[in-house]
Amino acid sequence: MIELLFFLILVLFVLGTAVPLIGAGKDRRDIRVLSLACTAAASALLAILGLTLLLTGTMLAVTVWQAFPGIEISFFIDRLAAFFLLLIGTVAACTAVYATGYVEHMEGGNRRNLLCGGMGLFVLAMTLVVASHTTFSFLFFWELMAAVSFVLVMYEYKDAGTTKAGIYYFVMTQLSTLFVMLGIIALFVLTGSFAMAPLHITPETAPLATAAFLALFFGFAIKAGIIPFHKWLFFAHPASPSPVSALMSAVMLKVAVYGLLRFLLDIFSPDLWWGVLILVFGIASAVLGVIYAFKDHDIKGLLAYSSIENIGIIFTGIGLYVIFSCEGLALLATISLLAALFHSLNHALFKALLFLTAGSVVHATGTRDIEKMGGLAKKMPSTSVLFFTGAIAIAALPPLNGFASELLLYIAFFQSVAVVDPLLKILLFICLALFALTSALSAACFVKAFSSVFLAQPRSDAARDAHEVSLPMLAGPAVLAAACIILGVFACQIFIAAGYVIPFPDLLLVSLLLLFMAGLTYLVLYFTASRETRVSETWGCGTKSQPAITEYTGHGFSEPIVTIFASVYRTKKSSTKTYSDTSDCLFAGGTAEIRLVAFFEEYLYRPLGRAAMKGASVVARMQNGCLDTYLLYVFIAVIGVIVFLGVAA
Amino acid sequence: MIPDFVLCCILNTAVVVLISPLFVSLVKKVKAWTQGRQGPPVFQTYYTLAKLLKKETIYSSQASWVSRVAPFACMAAILTASLFVPLVYVTEPYGGIGNIILFLYLLVVARFFMALLGLDAGSAFGGMGSSREMSVSAVIEPTTIIVFAALAFVFKTLNIFDMVGAAVSAGTLKTPILILLAISLFIILIVETSRIPVDNPETHLELTMIHEGMILEQSGKNLALMELSAAIKQTLLMALLINLIVPWGIATTLSAAAILAAAIFFIVKGSILALIIGLFESSMAKMRFFRLPGLFMMAFFFSTLIIIIEVFA
């Protein structure tokens, strides 16, 4: 029964991918709707499948194709995989519904058909990565996922920005696959099979096992966008169409998280320092991600950096899990792992919500620059409420889901008193302080994002003429927003239902109290206060009218933080002045500039890129296309082989 | 136990709403005395609030739904937070109420809405206030969390009710750690209530404009809500400091006499703290905005010191 459902889902995904090919070359709306409907139905079924397996605790194992003994494509879904399938299904279903409205506004004839098909294939690939039973099929579908997402990122291939994003994404995603492949090969050498079975480490195999872990960790970290491997994220998310950014940011990064968890839980028995490594990378990404997000004024770029932050938080949870389980603190380990998993789900929901509503805003205004928006709360009231829900969820405000998962992490941190090693304890407290900084900054960041986009006066003609989007573009995000609220409010009940007994406050009670207090305030004021209201101009110090240019903008809003964290941003301020008299009194003109140095690009990627170019040019000189040289190479090679064989004999 | 707790919550909320405006006026009075002025009557804040309730509410023509919702959301968040700090009566906590992290984040909810409110009308004053408020809060947050982690460390619990309960039964000031905690908590109190040297609550001039800047566009009942919620927040943070450091007189049994005595005790202790706040504020000059992180670092080091003492002692 459940196998049939799984096959039905696969068939529907394949249909969703194949249908647009029938209409290739034609710009047909019905085909696109049909394709997305297949994807949405398949995703919804996938979510149901995940939920059923998660609740019943049953497992599903299917072998599809066996090429050789040992090399096979087979699927296995346990609770961990079911949880991630639930995540993929929910987000993909909402995204597909949203896309039915969104693709019609995209440019480019039958490219739109391909986008619909590509989305189906992308979701399918991610599903199969999660469902993979062997490391071989894991790698196979991992590469399929990378390839399809690359094609989707390149949708607007004529833009210069997209080309740059494409190159970055291609290089990084292939590096990621390379590392994952190295890790899997190392595992194969250790165990002689592609099965995901626990690894028995003896002192002789320990270095290779560690190397395998490191390779896998870097592979997944690159895909997840952990700093300093985050560079592709910031280019690829803004450049791709919004439903694709939503899928990439909300789901694809989680597939990397799944990969790390799968290997950590099922194969390795981790050391303490692995946990510290993951924790340090995680917390660094969390802090730097939100700091970079804060200064960004491209709405999708801001969301992309904020994904780096949230992935950092998830990695922090995983790191804590490893540390606590090595220290033998079972309850704290459970709480941390639960925090990582729950935050993965929550981040998928609210980040998809934010990317989709941001897509609506970008569509309505025709720009991604938040400085050219403003005042959209009146033009797009429903979108503004949906974005607002996402903003409170991501800013970790109670009682929404973002808070619930961060609270779990806080509980784990606060109770880490029991950790024995004092040095470790100090590390944990430093991480706690940085984590607190992260969540405070993300609140500030989303105050900025929401207010610059939706509040005050429109700052451009496009924003002035903006209009509310169509129903499908509201329906998809609305489901996600509802999920954000439900997962937050009922968090405590969900944990109890899932069988986790942990000290967690009852957020349902808190939300009821919040509602009660708001109602009480309203009632008291209704009977005691004056009910007269009047609408009048904003007070502008006596000026007659206030042009939109005098408002506080995103740049102005972020200035204090940019100044306080100038050392992190590597801010460079420069100014030039010219004077119209000889004694420099009468100011004639000048320029002032604040430049934020892209630290990792300047100091890590460019030097690496230059080194690679240099290496390539050496190789290129050897490949000179002249027959004589090649004959020489062959000659040297033959001599070398003879000498080698002679020595070996 | 649950009816007991409900009663405790009702008592708490009633007391905090009734007392808060008094402390606001008291601080003003103390500041006036140190400057050689007579100052407003101690019940002035009550008169102001009553007057504001009678006035019509004016919304900016640029304002969206945020301006209509935010004052209520602020008040609801602060009132809910008030259930988390026992003022006069301490009992067994229930359903996670009293969780110190949840308490902090309820304050953040209020701040989030207030910052949006400041930006909604499109005035540069409000925007500047919001921007500074969020920056200050972002920088103080690590300190606050570490201070509360230190509290959790010292009292071995995450729940404020349990902490106060422990403080009451243990008497007070047994260890020097509590003095360090008191200093850190005092700095947090000053920052969170936007007082000198961080902000000046008396004016909304450009230099000091943080909290007052944000609510500049408010009027009538909305302004009353914002003022009262700020006052309640101040009382809550004061209560946290008072009840953890000098927990004398808090009622642990439910009797009218004990509650009344505890309320009077609390007003006396609160007034003394208000006096200290007033004197502290009068003896300081407003700091330059970008010098503030230094002040926060001080609180941070005090609390880190506590943790290090606890870790290695």
Side-chain angles (χ1 to χ4, degrees):
Chain A
M1 180 59 211
I2 208 104
E3 281 94 345
L4 271 181
L5 182 60
F6 185 64
F7 280 116
L8 176 67
I9 292 168
L10 297 190
V11 168
L12 276 174
F13 272 128
V14 172
L15 270 182
T17 311
V19 163
L21 298 179
I22 304 164
K26 295 184 217 95
D27 185 10
R28 283 178 59 182
R29 180 165 185 187
D30 49 347
I31 281 179
R32 287 195 290 271
V33 171
L34 183 64
S35 156
L36 286 172
C38 285
T39 308
S43 308
L45 286 176
L46 187 66
I48 292 170
L49 174 81
L51 194 61
T52 325
L53 292 175
L54 200 58
L55 290 180
T56 56
T58 45
M59 295 178 194
L60 173 73
V62 196
T63 301
V64 176
W65 180 63
Q66 189 164 26
F68 301 99
I71 294 188
E72 60 182 26
I73 305 269
S74 63
F75 302 118
F76 178 75
I77 306 174
D78 59 356
R79 276 184 98 184
L80 182 67
F83 177 80
F84 278 88
L85 289 183
L86 171 66
L87 181 161
I88 295 173
T90 316
V91 174
C94 296
T95 311
V97 170
Y98 174 90
T100 54
Y102 186 84
V103 285
E104 302 309 320
H105 307 300
M106 304 281 299
E107 280 175 33
N110 61 26
R111 266 193 295 153
R112 293 192 284 200
N113 296 3
L114 290 178
L115 178 66
C116 296
M119 277 175 60
L121 189 59
F122 185 37
V123 181
L124 176 64
M126 294 191 290
T127 307
L128 295 181
V129 172
V130 172
S132 289
H133 190 198
T134 58
T135 50
F136 176 77
S137 55
F138 184 91
L139 184 67
F140 184 80
F141 293 117
W142 181 268
E143 183 53 23
L144 178 66
M145 175 178 90
V148 179
S149 56
F150 171 71
V151 174
L152 292 177
V153 167
M154 291 300 284
Y155 184 84
E156 309 266 359
Y157 65 95
K158 282 173 190 155
D159 283 3
T162 310
T163 320
K164 187 176 181 189
I167 292 170
Y168 262 99
Y169 183 54
F170 188 76
V171 171
M172 293 310 273
T173 200
Q174 289 311 308
L175 262 183
S176 154
T177 307
L178 177 71
F179 274 113
V180 172
M181 191 166 75
L182 285 177
I184 284 175
I185 290 174
L187 282 179
F188 182 75
V189 171
L190 278 170
T191 63
S193 88
F194 287 112
M196 294 213 188
L199 193 62
H200 296 292
I201 302 172
T202 54
E204 303 94 77
T205 58
L208 190 56
T210 309
F213 163 73
L214 284 179
L216 285 167
F217 173 71
F218 285 117
F220 294 133
I222 292 170
K223 195 59 146 190
I226 287 292
I227 285 178
F229 317 115
H230 63 292
K231 209 68 208 184
W232 65 269
L233 214 93
F234 165 68
F235 291 122
H237 286 342
S240 43
S242 289
V244 175
S245 342
L247 281 179
M248 285 177 73
S249 188
V251 190
M252 192 178 74
L253 306 186
K254 302 304 161 349
V255 174
V257 170
Y258 166 80
L260 182 64
L261 277 176
R262 172 57 80 200
F263 283 89
L264 268 183
L265 296 177
D266 276 9
I267 295 186
F268 295 109
S269 35
D271 274 345
L272 184 65
W273 71 267
W274 294 11
V276 174
L277 178 81
I278 301 175
L279 176 68
V280 168
F281 269 100
I283 206 81
S285 299
V287 174
L288 290 176
V290 71
I291 286 180
Y292 290 141
F294 195 72
K295 66 115 216 277
D296 214 285
H297 301 105
D298 173 334
I299 174 104
K300 288 172 79 179
L302 183 147
L303 292 176
Y305 273 130
S306 137
S307 288
I308 298 173
E309 176 219 335
N310 282 285
I311 288 290
I313 292 175
I314 294 168
F315 270 56
T316 306
I318 299 176
L320 284 183
Y321 162 73
V322 173
I323 290 175
F324 290 143
S325 47
C326 287
E327 292 283 322
L329 303 159
L331 178 66
L332 287 184
T334 312
I335 294 178
S336 317
L337 184 61
L338 197 59
L341 286 173
F342 198 45
H343 200 73
S344 303
L345 177 60
N346 293 337
H347 177 244
L349 294 173
F350 54 64
K351 191 44 69 70
L353 169 61
L354 287 168
F355 260 118
L356 295 182
T357 40
S360 304
V361 168
V362 171
H363 157 65
T365 58
T367 173
R368 294 203 309 254
D369 187 355
I370 59 173
E371 304 296 32
K372 298 202 177 96
M373 298 178 185
L376 294 179
K378 285 182 169 170
K379 315 273 180 185
M380 311 171 76
S382 309
T383 306
S384 80
V385 173
L386 290 173
F387 189 92
F388 185 72
T389 315
I392 333 184
I394 201 168
L397 299 186
L400 265 66
N401 59 352
F403 174 71
S405 41
E406 292 203 6
L407 179 58
L408 280 174
L409 266 189
Y410 272 122
I411 291 175
F413 267 122
F414 270 55
Q415 297 193 341
S416 61
V417 186
V419 176
V420 273
D421 188 12
L423 274 179
L424 200 56
K425 218 180 278 190
I426 288 177
L427 172 76
L428 288 180
F429 273 104
I430 293 169
C431 290
L432 171 61
L434 290 174
F435 182 55
L437 178 66
T438 306
S439 42
L441 276 175
S442 92
C445 178
F446 280 89
V447 166
K448 177 188 115 170
F450 181 76
S451 61
S452 309
V453 175
F454 291 104
L455 301 184
Q457 299 182 58
R459 287 185 293 271
S460 72
D461 291 334
R464 214 163 283 125
D465 303 333
H467 55 86
E468 188 58 281
V469 289
S470 58
L471 192 62
M473 288 171 75
L474 290 174
V479 174
L480 291 170
C484 283
I485 295 171
I486 290 170
L487 279 186
V489 171
F490 294 99
C492 183
Q493 283 76 9
I494 292 172
F495 294 149
I496 291 171
Y500 294 103
V501 185
I502 46 173
F504 193 81
D506 189 352
L507 289 181
L508 177 63
L509 181 66
V510 174
S511 354
L512 289 178
L513 283 173
L514 276 171
L515 282 180
F516 172 74
M517 289 299 183
L520 189 70
T521 314
Y522 184 79
L523 268 185
V524 169
L525 284 186
Y526 188 79
F527 289 114
T528 58
S530 155
R531 279 169 232 167
E532 276 173 65
T533 56
R534 182 154 60 91
V535 172
S536 172
E537 280 298 307
T538 304
W539 183 65
C541 307
T543 50
K544 254 187 174 172
S545 68
Q546 290 216 85
I549 199 168
T550 61
E551 290 167 11
Y552 239 62
T553 57
H555 275 103
F557 190 88
S558 50
E559 211 278 333
I561 291 280
V562 171
T563 308
I564 291 172
F565 291 100
S567 52
V568 178
Y569 288 118
R570 322 279 294 185
T571 324
K572 282 184 183 161
K573 292 183 181 177
S574 59
S575 60
T576 55
K577 287 178 218 160
T578 52
Y579 300 93
S580 44
D581 63 329
T582 48
S583 47
D584 291 357
C585 289
L586 299 172
F587 181 68
T591 57
E593 179 188 42
I594 300 179
R595 203 164 66 90
L596 305 177
V597 178
F599 181 77
F600 291 105
E601 195 173 338
E602 209 101 328
Y603 296 102
L604 183 69
Y605 287 90
R606 294 262 171 83
L608 271 180
R610 275 195 292 270
M613 289 298 275
K614 216 172 269 175
S617 69
V618 171
V619 176
R621 219 179 310 146
M622 290 163 74
Q623 285 279 13
N624 59 0
C626 172
L627 189 64
D628 297 356
T629 327
Y630 291 131
L631 281 175
L632 180 65
Y633 293 158
V634 171
F635 182 67
I636 292 173
V638 167
I639 298 284
V641 168
I642 291 170
V643 169
F644 175 74
L645 287 176
V647 169
Chain B
M1 192 186 106
I2 292 176
D4 202 24
F5 187 73
V6 171
L7 201 64
C8 169
C9 287
I10 295 172
L11 257 177
N12 235 335
T13 315
V15 171
V16 84
V17 171
L18 288 177
I19 288 183
S20 300
L22 176 70
F23 290 148
V24 172
S25 315
L26 267 179
V27 176
K28 281 188 183 160
K29 192 86 182 168
V30 173
K31 283 178 73 180
W33 282 338
T34 57
Q35 291 161 7
R37 293 186 285 122
Q38 196 187 355
V42 278
F43 293 111
Q44 181 60 50
T45 315
Y46 294 95
Y47 308 145
T48 312
L49 289 174
K51 183 183 73 184
L52 284 174
L53 289 182
K54 295 270 175 303
K55 298 227 168 200
E56 65 176 350
T57 310
I58 304 173
Y59 292 106
S60 159
S61 53
Q62 270 107 46
S64 62
W65 55 266
V66 170
S67 285
R68 271 86 175 166
V69 172
F72 289 94
C74 255
M75 194 66 193
I78 295 281
L79 279 179
T80 311
S82 78
L83 304 177
F84 285 59
V85 184
L87 254 67
V88 291
Y89 173 52
V90 55
T91 177
E92 287 280 299
Y94 171 73
I97 291 204
N99 185 300
I100 205 154
I101 307 162
L102 195 49
F103 168 72
L104 277 180
Y105 273 78
L106 282 168
L107 298 188
V108 177
V109 172
R111 179 186 294 140
F112 191 83
F113 275 97
M114 193 155 62
L116 287 182
L117 190 64
L119 284 152
D120 195 27
S123 119
F125 283 89
M128 185 175 280
S130 302
S131 158
R132 289 177 173 182
E133 169 86 10
M134 293 319 280
S135 312
V136 166
S137 78
V139 184
I140 190 75
E141 192 72 10
T143 310
T144 316
I145 284 290
I146 287 293
V147 171
F148 282 85
L151 276 178
F153 223 99
V154 173
F155 291 101
K156 308 274 179 265
T157 170
L158 276 177
N159 198 293
I160 305 177
F161 279 83
D162 289 339
M163 287 181 190
V164 174
V168 171
S169 56
T172 186
L173 282 179
K174 289 270 170 61
T175 60
I177 285 170
L178 282 175
I179 299 174
L180 292 177
L181 266 182
I183 297 171
S184 303
L185 278 174
F186 188 76
I187 293 178
I188 290 175
L189 170 68
I190 295 291
V191 177
E192 289 278 331
T193 53
S194 327
R195 305 208 153 269
I196 287 176
V198 177
D199 182 15
N200 187 352
E202 312 284 312
T203 74
H204 41 71
L205 291 177
E206 201 180 334
L207 283 175
T208 54
M209 208 161 59
I210 299 183
H211 178 258
E212 293 298 312
M214 276 189 285
I215 59 172
L216 197 62
E217 285 297 324
Q218 303 307 307
S219 54
K221 59 173 189 282
N222 287 353
L223 182 56
L225 281 179
M226 299 310 289
E227 296 280 9
L228 186 59
S229 60
I232 294 176
K233 182 173 158 188
Q234 176 184 327
T235 312
L236 290 180
L237 291 165
M238 284 167 69
L240 204 59
L241 178 61
I242 292 170
N243 285 344
L244 289 177
I245 308 300
V246 276
W248 308 311
I250 300 175
T252 47
T253 51
L254 197 62
S255 72
I259 298 284
L260 195 67
I264 292 171
F265 255 113
F266 183 75
I267 294 178
V268 171
K269 285 187 287 184
S271 306
I272 295 171
L273 183 57
L275 181 80
I276 298 173
I277 294 173
L279 290 176
F280 179 80
E281 233 187 310
S282 309
S283 65
M284 282 253 175
K286 163 84 175 65
M287 260 188 183
R288 228 188 105 209
F289 185 75
F290 290 116
R291 298 290 295 276
L292 288 177
L295 177 75
F296 303 161
M297 283 318 279
M298 208 161 87
F300 187 76
F301 280 122
F302 276 126
S303 40
T304 315
L305 195 62
I306 299 164
I307 286 168
I308 291 175
I309 291 173
E310 280 286 299
V311 168
F312 291 104

